[in-house]
Amino acid sequence: MKRVFLIVLDSCGCGEMPDAAKFGDHDVNTIRRISEDPHFSAETTKKMGLGLIPGLSFLGEETAPTAAVGRMTEASAGKDTTIGHWEIAGVVSPKPLPTYPNGFPEEVLEAFRKATGRDVLCNKPYSGTAVLKDYGEEHLKTGALIVYTSADSVFQIAAHEEIVPPEQLYAYCRMAREILQGEHGVGRVIARPFLGENAETFYRTPRRHDFSLLPPKETVLDAVKNAGQTVYAIGKISDIFAGQGVTEKVFTQSNEEGMAFTLAALDKDFEGLCFTNLVDFDMKYGHRRDIPGYASAYAVFDNWLPGFMKKMGDEDLLMITADHGCDPGYLETTDHTREYTPLLIYGKGVTPYCFGTRPTFSDIAATVADWLGVSFECPGTSLLSDSVRMETKLTRLAEDAMKMAYVPYSGYRVGAALLCGDGTIYTGCNIENASYTPTVCAERTAIFKAVSEGKRDFCMLAVAGGKNGVVEGLFPPCGVCRQVIAEFCGPDFPVLVSTGMGGYRKFRFGELLPNGFSPAFMDV
Ligand code: THU
């Protein structure tokens, strides 16, 4: 009975993504930051291979890791919880969810006033407690609803429980949810009921409720549910997916509770996915910029893991990841940070390896579907497949071959690795010459080495290159090399171009040389 336990350490990013500046972030790395605090401890995750993840080698590179590990790129244009989780579940969002730093536009408010029959106060980004102090008394007097937002994509409605009973407030939220679609499709509409006598004593009650946007496409949760399997949501997972694809759920108040329910789930009899979100990392420590708190919470989780792993059955898969960053040492904002996220995959059926840098969180959804034997189409690739293992290996070998480059003139180091039909791999580097034109590219070195050893049946080529040996963006094969490839390979031949640290973009050769001249045109 196959099961996946997918645990999201909310906001536990592992270093800024190349486009972090576009999201207002620089020099952010949540794991690095907390690792510098004395409360941090990561003995278990380090043994699993945390330090092998690109950018985390300062944690120490475990020689015999117990998990498959790597880092995940967020392909979506966002750094919020909703978009991060959707991508983990197989849905990439090309546009960020809308935010309202200047409040909601009149068209939205007008529709909301009409639907509820009540006026609106505030309409600005505001702190949840200050908004009660500043607008609570006016709300008591007039019955107008306090509408506010934050740096996140949220429409929040605060109302006193004696003026607007919670059920009524939830009904208003549903009305707002209907209005806030399409262009104004905010991630969440949140009911914020409160009580108290006056500005000094107002307090929020626990009857907060979130009304999330429905995921725009089928997620892996739907796929698992539709296959007749269980999708057990722990913590805020059910809210994030607006309940879609969830078959059982439990809400939690803390990381401790989330971990306890996840551990208890091992004793439940089910086939499918147990999906947990541990939100304290983000909510209690990340946004509050509390480094020791974050580091301690990580240590508690790391310490909890061995007990969980010991209880896992032979067909259980554990996946640990994050949905975005929230570097507690980044003091320019209290917002999330645009970061890569770590992924650790552990289980008896998993061969440990480092899969480098993957292009989308959606590889997680593909891996879940693969393990559970559920069919699901998404932009990701299963990290348990032999082909991904081989692609990663070949890309790494091409990156390693860059070290051999003889480049006194250009300084561009290029490496290539060519996989032959019999499983052998030939690597090559570029070799320059004082007379320039005799220079040979890395790809041709690898291909000529193989051909001169009697090999002509090629399965895949990986290329890596960059000025001074640093891979920055793509360094694809030159035209001459493409022509040489065309001599031996057809349009479906896969060419992997490294994006650095084991990450790659996969091309069909036909994309790199369309309508090329090949042996097919010669009468031989
Ligand atoms: N180079 C390669 O090795 N492969 C290519 O496909 C493009 C170019 C090398 C040749 C030269 O040593 C350096 O990169 C700069 O052109």
Side-chain angles (χ1 to χ4, degrees):
M1 216 176 36
K2 293 207 164 176
R3 307 188 293 185
V4 176
F5 293 82
L6 171 56
I7 304 179
V8 175
L9 313 183
D10 201 304
S11 88
C12 203
C14 63
E16 71 184 41
M17 277 179 42
D19 63 0
K22 274 198 222 145
F23 292 80
D25 303 328
H26 55 86
D27 299 326
V28 290
N29 187 334
T30 303
I31 290 187
R32 176 189 272 279
R33 193 79 68 176
I34 60 171
S35 74
E36 289 160 359
D37 184 273
H39 298 86
F40 180 77
S41 147
E43 289 322 303
T44 317
T45 39
K46 278 202 264 189
K47 267 188 223 134
M48 292 170 87
L50 188 66
L52 295 170
I53 293 176
L56 295 186
S57 57
F58 59 87
L59 290 171
E61 297 185 39
E62 173 64 46
T63 45
T66 58
V69 300
R71 69 176 179 180
M72 314 304 285
T73 306
E74 178 153 19
S76 300
K79 54 173 180 175
D80 62 78
T81 300
T82 306
I83 279 188
H85 280 77
W86 284 354
E87 186 167 328
I88 288 171
V91 176
V92 171
S93 311
K95 271 209 229 150
L97 294 176
T99 53
Y100 296 89
N102 305 312
F104 297 94
E106 192 46 39
E107 63 191 276
V108 167
L109 295 184
E110 197 40 52
F112 184 64
R113 284 193 203 100
K114 223 166 138 198
T116 60
R118 288 183 188 262
D119 205 357
V120 164
L121 297 173
C122 185
N123 189 34
K124 279 194 261 279
Y126 232 87
S127 124
T129 41
V131 87
L132 302 184
K133 249 196 173 78
D134 296 350
Y135 294 94
E137 292 190 355
E138 199 179 337
H139 161 74
L140 281 188
K141 262 187 246 139
T142 63
L145 299 167
I146 306 171
V147 169
Y148 65 108
T149 185
S150 73
D152 283 354
S153 181
V154 290
F155 183 97
Q156 310 191 79
I157 314 171
H160 196 282
E161 291 193 1
E162 285 160 12
I163 306 282
V164 179
E167 280 311 322
Q168 182 65 51
L169 180 58
Y170 300 159
Y172 292 159
C173 287
R174 281 185 211 104
M175 294 170 191
R177 188 66 280 177
E178 266 178 45
I179 296 165
L180 296 161
Q181 296 292 335
E183 178 200 353
H184 296 304
V186 293
R188 282 170 296 159
V189 173
I190 310 178
R192 295 283 197 178
F194 67 97
L195 280 170
E197 305 304 314
N198 54 46
E200 300 315 312
T201 59
F202 289 139
Y203 64 95
R204 299 198 284 191
T205 72
R207 285 170 283 282
R208 164 191 171 154
H209 197 76
D210 293 31
F211 300 79
S212 302
L213 193 64
L214 281 177
K217 283 192 201 128
E218 189 193 45
T219 70
V220 74
L221 281 68
D222 298 306
V224 173
K225 181 181 173 185
N226 294 339
Q229 301 187 17
T230 298
V231 177
Y232 179 31
I234 299 180
K236 60 181 196 171
I237 295 296
S238 183
D239 270 348
I240 293 168
F241 290 90
Q244 197 162 282
V246 172
T247 63
E248 269 179 66
K249 64 182 175 209
V250 57
F251 296 102
T252 55
Q253 298 295 330
S254 64
N255 276 7
E256 278 68 22
E257 231 180 77
M259 289 185 275
F261 277 115
T262 310
L263 184 64
L266 277 172
D267 289 327
K268 282 165 79 96
D269 182 25
F270 73 97
E271 180 185 23
L273 171 66
C274 172
F275 194 175
T276 303
N277 172 283
L278 299 180
V279 77
D280 288 1
F281 293 114
D282 182 62
M283 196 177 76
K284 294 195 182 147
Y285 311 114
H287 288 295
R288 294 183 190 164
R289 297 305 193 239
D290 175 355
I291 302 173
Y294 206 133
S296 310
Y298 189 93
V300 169
F301 170 74
D302 189 89
N303 213 18
W304 167 84
L305 269 177
F308 182 88
M309 290 155 81
K310 219 178 282 157
K311 266 187 87 172
M312 283 170 64
D314 288 357
E315 294 192 307
D316 287 337
L317 194 73
L318 168 65
M319 300 176 81
I320 302 168
T321 190
D323 52 343
H324 50 71
C326 196
D327 183 336
Y330 185 61
L331 299 179
E332 279 176 38
T333 67
T334 55
D335 199 2
H336 296 157
T337 45
R338 174 83 168 168
E339 294 186 45
Y340 292 107
T341 59
L343 175 64
L344 301 105
I345 312 175
Y346 174 86
K348 292 236 165 66
V350 178
T351 312
Y353 80 113
C354 177
F355 45 78
T357 305
R358 300 296 306 173
T360 165
F361 293 179
S362 287
D363 284 357
I364 297 170
T367 306
V368 169
D370 183 17
W371 185 254
L372 297 178
V374 167
S375 86
F376 177 60
E377 287 286 318
C378 79
T381 315
S382 169
L383 297 168
L384 303 173
S385 73
D386 290 342
S387 57
V388 168
R389 192 181 298 275
M390 181 47 84
E391 286 166 13
T392 306
K393 180 174 166 184
L394 213 61
T395 306
R396 289 274 181 182
L397 287 171
E399 288 169 1
D400 280 350
M402 289 168 68
K403 296 194 190 98
M404 306 301 169
Y406 174 73
V407 288
Y409 308 106
S410 78
Y412 276 94
R413 292 183 172 274
V414 187
L418 178 68
L419 175 67
C420 303
D422 63 358
T424 50
I425 293 172
Y426 290 88
T427 59
C429 63
N430 52 335
I431 305 164
E432 297 186 342
N433 190 278
S435 148
Y436 288 20
T437 45
T439 293
V440 178
C441 293
E443 300 87 323
R444 277 177 286 149
T445 304
I447 293 169
F448 293 164
K449 274 169 76 178
V451 173
S452 66
E453 296 295 322
K455 311 286 165 66
R456 290 179 195 174
D457 170 23
F458 303 143
C459 300
M460 191 156 44
L461 175 73
V463 188
K467 182 90 183 154
N468 301 322
V470 181
V471 181
E472 260 175 318
L474 299 179
F475 196 92
C478 74
V480 174
C481 288
R482 291 178 202 208
Q483 190 58 48
V484 171
I485 295 169
E487 191 68 24
F488 301 100
C489 310
D492 287 330
F493 178 71
V495 179
L496 314 175
V497 182
S498 166
T499 52
M501 304 261 199
Y504 56 88
R505 229 178 101 188
K506 188 174 176 179
F507 294 92
R508 279 176 72 247
F509 178 61
E511 289 174 80
L512 298 179
L513 188 64
N515 306 312
F517 186 70
S518 70
F521 292 84
M522 303 296 286
D523 288 333
V524 287

